[in-house]
Amino acid sequence: MMLEIEMVGHSYAGHTALQDVNLEVAGGELLSIVGPSGCGKSTLLRCIAGLIRPAQGRVVLNGAQIDDVPDNLAVVFQDYSRSLLPWLSVRDNVALPLRRRGKPKAERRAAAEAALATVGLSGADGMYPWQLSGGMQQRVSIARALAYRPALLLMDEPFGSVDAQTREDLEDLILQVRGDGMTILLVTHDIDESVYVGDRVAVLSRAPGTVIADLQVDLPAKRDQITTRELPEFVHLRAEVGRLVRGGAPASQAS
Amino acid sequence: MSISVATRGQFRHGRRVLTAIAHRWLVLAVGVIAWEVGTRTATSAYFPPPSKIVARMHHLWFSGPIAHVFLTSAAEQNILPSLGRMALGLAASIVVGVALGLVLGRSERAFEYLDPVLQFARVIPPPTLVPIFIVLFSVGTQMQLASIIFSAIWPILLNTADGARSVDRLQMDISRVFKLSAADRLFTIIIPSTLPKIFAGLRLSLSLALILMVFSELLPGTANGIGFELVDAQSRSDLPTMWAGIVLLGILGYLLNGVLLLVERRMLAWHRTSHGADS
């Protein structure tokens, strides 16, 4: 197993966000983590990223416990407008993390431009993030992560702030760029999205969040927004995930 | 699409600025004309008409040879040393103020220890310290520089600290995730995001530096400078020269502020536009 999450728990000022979370992720897998709002999904992701240290349990990556941010890890955050640096051009934003890799400047630029081309933003190299639409900014943010060539890519509600059409395009972009052995963890509250994008779906309960189901997604690897979503397996699975997510949140249903 | 919106916004912004400038100059022109008419009819020795002040300024400072960019030797002996001291004092304030401000802003502990002291030091009116500086440093350039620095450093230092404290946490997370080096973190994240605050402080510091520049030259023991020329003219009851000095200071302050705004606009283009697009 590439990533092992063992009995992880965390709380903020008396509020228990996570409790006894156990998960295993194999190399090259795309795991969706879905759960109701406020179930600690983002906290779990930050623990895996090494940005916070869980109060209980541990996260093990390739056999080593995560204490600080591991190498070869990239994160795409929901808030693209804050996660991109407005004073750097799109190209420089993407190339910035490559500085540490000791590549010469020309190579960094080339790598950044290649990553931008992959996400469909070839012409935008010299522009600034705030000149782009929200969906395009999130593409830049994805390009920055891809150019870094991480072994593990974490995505925290990456499509939560874009419109429905853009969201579908970005979901397809993720399916298109995965491969090269990159392992992806995608946190979302969108049930359809978790099934559509994932190889596996882990369902978290309401806070304190814990894994209440771990479902295999038996859909063909090649997916598209129309036909995949009308497959009986898809419909069945999304219903099951939906029931689990709601079952974990009876109070929110009542309100 | 979003680009054309931005440019159109800039055009509209540009036209607004031009109209605003026209209005401002109009009021100034009317004011000067009224002053000219008023002083000519009153014929008071204490209030020479603006035309006479301008003629005196020209005669005193700007009637020099072309090789010296029309500066007279009096201008070179008084205006340039003043501006030199101000530039030096301001430069030292920026270097020390920004460096200390960054440390203070990024270190929780340093901030907690030093903030009360700094807030106290800041509210001391700098001119009251000038007598002490006269005793501490030798009269002249050293004392004058100390006075300028002690007044100009506070807005820069405190604004930098404030800006460095409020660097977006998500951007700091990004720098951790992508393992940016300490230098990259400082120069590509912390300083750029603090820059708008630094410039806000710099604008205040600039006017304080100008005030202390003149003030420190008004004291005995000064050998040159615009302030020295003012005091000298006063001792000779030369009112047109005194007025000329005052107008010169006004013009210098206006020009320096203009230069600063220009630099700020260039360096913070991202700030103005990205925030303009948000609202």
Side-chain angles (χ1 to χ4, degrees):
Chain A
M1 282 296 144
M2 181 202 199
L3 181 71
E4 291 154 280
I5 297 160
E6 296 169 0
M7 296 300 283
V8 162
H10 197 74
S11 44
Y12 299 101
H15 166 75
T16 310
L18 291 173
Q19 201 166 35
D20 302 343
V21 176
N22 287 296
L23 262 179
E24 289 191 337
V25 189
E29 202 174 18
L30 200 165
L31 174 71
S32 301
I33 299 172
V34 67
S37 307
C39 73
K41 303 184 293 275
S42 295
T43 306
L44 179 60
L45 208 76
R46 295 176 84 82
C47 288
I48 299 168
L51 289 169
I52 49 179
R53 195 184 288 224
Q56 286 98 42
R58 58 185 203 142
V59 182
V60 178
L61 180 66
N62 293 322
Q65 183 171 336
I66 291 177
D67 290 320
D68 192 12
V69 181
D71 284 325
N72 297 319
L73 175 136
V75 183
V76 173
F77 291 100
Q78 174 177 0
D79 198 341
Y80 45 79
S81 64
R82 282 168 59 217
S83 95
L84 296 174
L85 306 176
W87 47 85
L88 294 184
S89 70
V90 163
R91 185 198 296 114
D92 290 344
N93 262 291
V94 176
L96 178 64
L98 307 179
R99 295 249 275 252
R100 202 71 202 273
R101 306 251 147 135
K103 282 188 188 168
K105 191 171 183 186
E107 234 173 278
R108 294 201 301 264
R109 276 175 77 108
E113 280 163 18
L116 283 165
T118 310
V119 301
L121 282 179
S122 315
D125 305 335
M127 290 167 80
Y128 285 85
W130 36 267
Q131 294 176 311
L132 305 174
S133 68
M136 285 159 100
Q137 288 185 45
Q138 194 58 301
R139 278 172 194 268
V140 175
S141 182
I142 292 168
R144 175 172 63 185
L146 292 177
Y148 194 63
R149 301 203 160 277
L152 179 59
L153 173 61
L154 307 179
M155 306 182 98
D156 187 6
E157 297 272 7
F159 317 131
S161 304
V162 295
D163 61 84
Q165 177 62 50
T166 308
R167 184 178 195 120
E168 293 187 354
D169 292 345
L170 291 175
E171 286 166 9
D172 287 334
L173 175 66
I174 293 307
L175 291 176
Q176 176 207 321
V177 299
R178 58 174 303 202
D180 298 341
M182 185 165 62
T183 310
I184 304 178
L185 258 68
L186 177 101
V187 157
T188 179
H189 67 267
D190 185 308
I191 292 152
D192 283 37
E193 181 171 284
S194 70
V195 175
Y196 179 72
V197 175
D199 297 327
R200 246 170 77 212
V201 178
V203 183
L204 290 193
S205 66
R206 287 182 67 204
T210 194
V211 181
I212 48 173
D214 192 337
L215 308 161
Q216 197 68 33
V217 180
D218 289 317
L219 292 170
K222 195 167 162 41
R223 301 178 189 180
D224 80 83
Q225 294 287 352
I226 307 297
T227 53
T228 305
R229 285 177 194 266
E230 57 188 13
L231 291 173
E233 295 93 321
F234 180 89
V235 175
H236 173 75
L237 199 55
R238 77 160 298 281
E240 192 176 347
V241 173
R243 252 191 299 277
L244 284 161
V245 170
R246 281 176 199 217
S252 70
Q253 222 172 1
S255 63
Chain B
M1 193 180 75
S2 51
I3 312 160
S4 70
V5 171
T7 9
R8 221 181 314 143
Q10 269 165 1
F11 276 134
R12 225 177 312 148
H13 180 74
R15 206 162 45 203
R16 254 204 326 267
V17 168
L18 282 182
T19 332
I21 289 174
H23 283 198
R24 215 160 43 199
W25 285 108
L26 188 74
V27 172
L28 184 69
V30 170
V32 171
I33 290 166
W35 185 11
E36 179 81 34
V37 172
T39 45
R40 269 175 195 251
T41 35
T43 61
S44 157
Y46 300 108
F47 296 98
S51 54
K52 202 172 168 190
I53 297 172
V54 171
R56 178 60 60 95
M57 289 174 71
H58 176 256
H59 170 74
L60 271 178
W61 300 309
F62 305 113
S63 53
I66 298 182
H68 290 235
V69 221
F70 301 108
L71 289 179
T72 60
S73 59
E76 283 170 8
Q77 276 161 28
N78 290 312
I79 301 178
L80 296 187
S82 283
L83 288 179
R85 283 191 287 265
M86 182 178 161
L88 203 62
L90 205 54
S93 305
I94 293 171
V95 171
V96 179
V98 168
L100 275 180
L102 287 172
V103 171
L104 222 58
R106 293 312 303 170
S107 159
E108 201 76 30
R109 182 171 292 180
F111 186 84
E112 272 164 22
Y113 279 127
L114 292 175
D115 189 49
V117 181
L118 294 174
Q119 295 292 351
F120 181 78
R122 185 186 63 129
V123 294
I124 298 172
T128 59
L129 286 164
V130 172
I132 295 178
F133 288 148
I134 293 176
V135 181
L136 282 179
F137 305 102
S138 60
V139 177
T141 306
Q142 265 189 28
M143 176 275 287
Q144 288 164 341
L145 280 178
S147 309
I148 293 172
I149 293 170
F150 196 82
S151 60
I153 198 169
W154 303 114
I156 297 177
L157 198 162
L158 294 168
N159 265 290
T160 306
D162 187 30
R165 260 161 76 81
S166 46
V167 174
D168 198 316
R169 268 199 46 210
L170 193 59
Q171 287 172 356
M172 294 312 287
D173 283 348
I174 291 286
S175 81
R176 281 182 65 196
V177 164
F178 290 115
K179 305 233 161 215
L180 298 192
S181 64
D184 277 350
R185 198 173 291 197
L186 182 65
F187 289 109
T188 58
I189 295 189
I190 296 173
I191 291 182
S193 95
T194 309
L195 217 47
K197 285 270 182 181
I198 295 178
F199 269 104
L202 196 51
R203 275 206 298 275
L204 288 172
S205 296
L206 182 72
S207 49
L208 283 170
L210 189 69
I211 293 170
L212 266 288
M213 173 197 89
V214 184
F215 184 81
S216 64
E217 289 168 355
L218 297 177
L219 301 165
T222 324
N224 58 23
I226 301 169
F228 169 76
E229 211 168 6
L230 272 176
V231 175
D232 189 49
Q234 185 201 21
S235 70
R236 288 181 282 107
S237 298
D238 180 357
L239 276 147
T241 301
M242 287 167 68
W243 280 101
I246 292 164
V247 173
L248 177 70
L249 286 168
I251 292 172
L252 282 178
Y254 187 84
L255 288 180
L256 290 172
N257 197 52
V259 169
L260 184 65
L261 283 179
L262 222 62
V263 174
E264 179 178 346
R265 217 160 270 188
R266 278 197 74 94
M267 290 183 74
L268 295 181
W270 61 267
H271 186 251
R272 212 157 37 100
T273 326
S274 61
H275 284 243
D278 282 349
S279 55

